């Protein structure tokens, strides 16, 4: 593959991340990550999770009954080796929980990617926030 | 053209779709479609339309006096033959009708593209929705 | 560099524009422009500014204490010479001023780019608006 092909492959990987998350295709979503992926959303009020299985189990628990929209923008991807890359994505997300609580948020993902035998995977992801609004909910 | 050029050409085609729709350049917009384009927005509360002329006439009727914003994200484009491609795009749209009724929506376009003598065209487009909010209006 | 590399370089330049603006990295932001950049936001209620130093000084004055989100979409980039390009980007922006005044806006940047000794720079930028909402504030 050329460097251009790798850039497009990483973009396609992250596009699938957003779409499979929002359409709740958890099995397809799981396959996007390295087994030992490191997820850090602590700067956005979340947690630190290691391992794709644990991360997906967490998301199913929190988001399976929520309406979610996650849209990514303006990737800055750099190939850092034959099988590794870094990327930054802007995020606009909407999450509407069954309680009626609604989040409208903006921020950035800071990520690394690894090429495995069957293609590129998300190896780590840290979310930072520019702004988030919460409204509604039962309380 | 290389495969990379074709991918960029399809992205440019869809970018023009969004911009010419929102700036109401109906003649330029019409030229983006195959004559027999199949449009299906039924899953988003719309209709099924066949033919670019009928589709544009419908849009002029419904949207010419509305403020519209349609923004597309994270294309997943695959070349399926020398002159054919498929694509999925995330959508964020805002439509403000003269009555004051406002839609804020999110979803995905599932599309096919065909290369004609003078370049790539949208051959079919099906819209699905993740979420839509309606507010305002006369009623 | 290939034409593909140039397109990706211009996309990366504008991605940095959005990210460095919203994270208030003013020194990094300044370096994205030609010294004599021409900025025109008059169609969006703004001003005409010439020169990168003046433009950044203006932004620091107006936005340093505001929360800002600027997200760009669907670039239409054309290489117009070995060291020049044009581009159109859709914009979704949110600006929350210390007074509480909040702008949610949509529009397009119409830009030119120039390749200098150390890479591509933004040479001119004109902002047009599809829609903007203002709410809140002290008054």
């Amino acid at each position: 593959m050329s460097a251009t092909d790798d850039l497009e492959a990483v973009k396609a990987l992250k596009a699938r991340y957003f779409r499979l998350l929002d359409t709740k295709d958890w099995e397809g979503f799981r396959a996007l990550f390295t087994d030992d992926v490191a997820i850090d959303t602590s700067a956005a009020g979340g947690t630190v999770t290691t391992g794709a299985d644990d991360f997906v189990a967490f998301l199913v628990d929190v988001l399976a009954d929520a309406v979610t929209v996650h849209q990514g923008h303006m990737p800055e991807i750099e190939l850092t080796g034959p099988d590794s890359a870094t990327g930054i994505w802007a995020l606009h997300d909407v999450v509407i929980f069954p309680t009626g609580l609604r989040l409208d948020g903006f921020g950035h993902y800071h990520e690394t990617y690894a090429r495995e035998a069957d293609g590129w995977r998300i190896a780590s992801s840290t979310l930072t926030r520019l702004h988030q609004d919460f409204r509604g909910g039962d309380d």
Side-chain angles (χ1 to χ4, degrees), chain A:
Chain A
M1 292 182 95
S2 70
T4 300
D5 290 338
D6 284 329
L7 289 180
E8 293 301 317
V10 170
K11 292 179 194 173
L13 170 69
K14 191 66 181 173
R16 288 175 58 82
Y17 167 95
F18 289 113
R19 182 168 58 83
L20 300 183
L21 172 59
D22 290 338
T23 58
K24 311 293 194 305
D25 178 349
W26 300 115
E27 187 174 331
F29 186 76
R30 165 63 182 87
L32 305 177
F33 301 93
T34 62
D35 289 346
D36 62 348
V37 63
I39 306 285
D40 184 347
T41 59
S42 57
T47 60
V48 177
T49 307
T50 302
D53 291 335
D54 283 0
F55 176 52
V56 174
F58 168 77
L59 289 183
V60 169
D61 190 43
V62 174
L63 296 183
D65 296 325
V67 172
T68 68
V69 179
H70 292 81
Q71 297 188 331
H73 312 300
M74 305 167 299
E76 300 173 67
I77 298 166
E78 292 186 22
L79 301 174
T80 54
D83 298 316
S84 60
T86 62
I88 304 173
W89 292 77
L91 169 68
H92 174 202
D93 58 338
V94 179
V95 181
I96 305 171
F97 295 97
T99 60
L101 178 67
R102 174 173 172 148
L103 161 70
D104 289 83
F106 301 94
H108 293 96
Y109 288 106
H110 305 257
E111 303 192 319
T112 61
Y113 309 98
R115 191 207 313 265
E116 301 197 334
D118 53 355
W120 288 94
R121 296 288 175 269
I122 300 171
S124 71
S125 181
T126 298
L127 178 61
T128 56
R129 284 287 189 197
L130 290 170
H131 186 68
Q132 50 191 356
D133 291 306
F134 287 98
R135 55 188 156 114
D138 287 345
D139 306 312

